[in-house]
Amino acid sequence: MKIDKFNLDDGTYVRFKKMGEGAPILLLHTFRNRLEYSDKLGKLLADKFTVYSIDLPGFGDSPINTNTNYNLDFFTKSIVSFIKKSRIKNLTIAGESIGATLAASVSVELPGIVKKIFMFHAY
């Protein structure tokens, strides 16, 4: 599975991968984790969905910019930018912990794109 990079506004990037075919679903991991956290779930979903797994900014092997304030607003804007620039439509987002909170905050920013969210162990 190929891991790609998506450039962020602060000059860094986040790693992401895309697998499968079908309706899009974005999987968001917990704090102190990485996109590989969703590998097993992604493989199960890939038969029916286009699965996007992404590092949250500054997590996994995605670099940290010491001048960036890594807060909910920055995480939300980064994910919104990823979704818009990737031209994803009719999206479901599933997240755990901070990923659950981000599913909610991103859905508020993109009500015409995010159709459903699943929140597990919301932060």
Side-chain angles (χ1 to χ4, degrees):
M1 225 171 309
K2 181 182 174 200
I3 296 178
D4 290 310
K5 294 177 182 176
F6 176 77
N7 294 318
L8 299 176
D9 291 341
D10 74 341
T12 63
Y13 62 85
V14 291
R15 299 176 317 131
F16 76 95
K17 60 183 160 182
K18 175 182 170 183
M19 65 180 134
E21 291 186 28
I25 185 167
L26 174 63
L27 305 178
L28 300 176
H29 62 74
T30 64
F31 264 135
R32 288 178 252 125
N33 227 308
R34 57 195 310 120
L35 68 86
E36 289 85 0
Y37 179 75
S38 302
D39 278 356
K40 289 182 182 179
L41 178 58
K43 287 177 185 172
L44 291 172
L45 294 171
D47 287 341
K48 297 187 180 181
F49 294 91
T50 299
V51 180
Y52 295 88
S53 298
I54 188 170
D55 273 343
L56 295 180
F59 287 84
D61 289 330
S62 297
I64 295 172
N65 181 336
T66 57
N67 296 316
T68 298
N69 185 4
Y70 288 85
N71 58 19
L72 182 64
D73 185 55
F74 179 73
F75 287 132
T76 300
K77 286 180 181 176
S78 297
I79 295 167
V80 165
S81 179
F82 171 78
I83 292 166
K84 285 182 173 180
K85 289 182 181 172
S86 298
R87 296 185 179 137
I88 302 170
K89 305 288 183 205
N90 299 314
L91 177 63
T92 297
I93 303 175
E96 183 176 1
S97 182
I98 187 64
T101 303
L102 288 166
S105 65
V106 169
S107 72
V108 170
E109 295 295 319
L110 299 173
I113 294 173
V114 178
K115 301 300 180 186
K116 192 181 295 185
I117 61 173
F118 293 96
M119 300 171 66
F120 304 96
H121 307 109
Y123 173 76

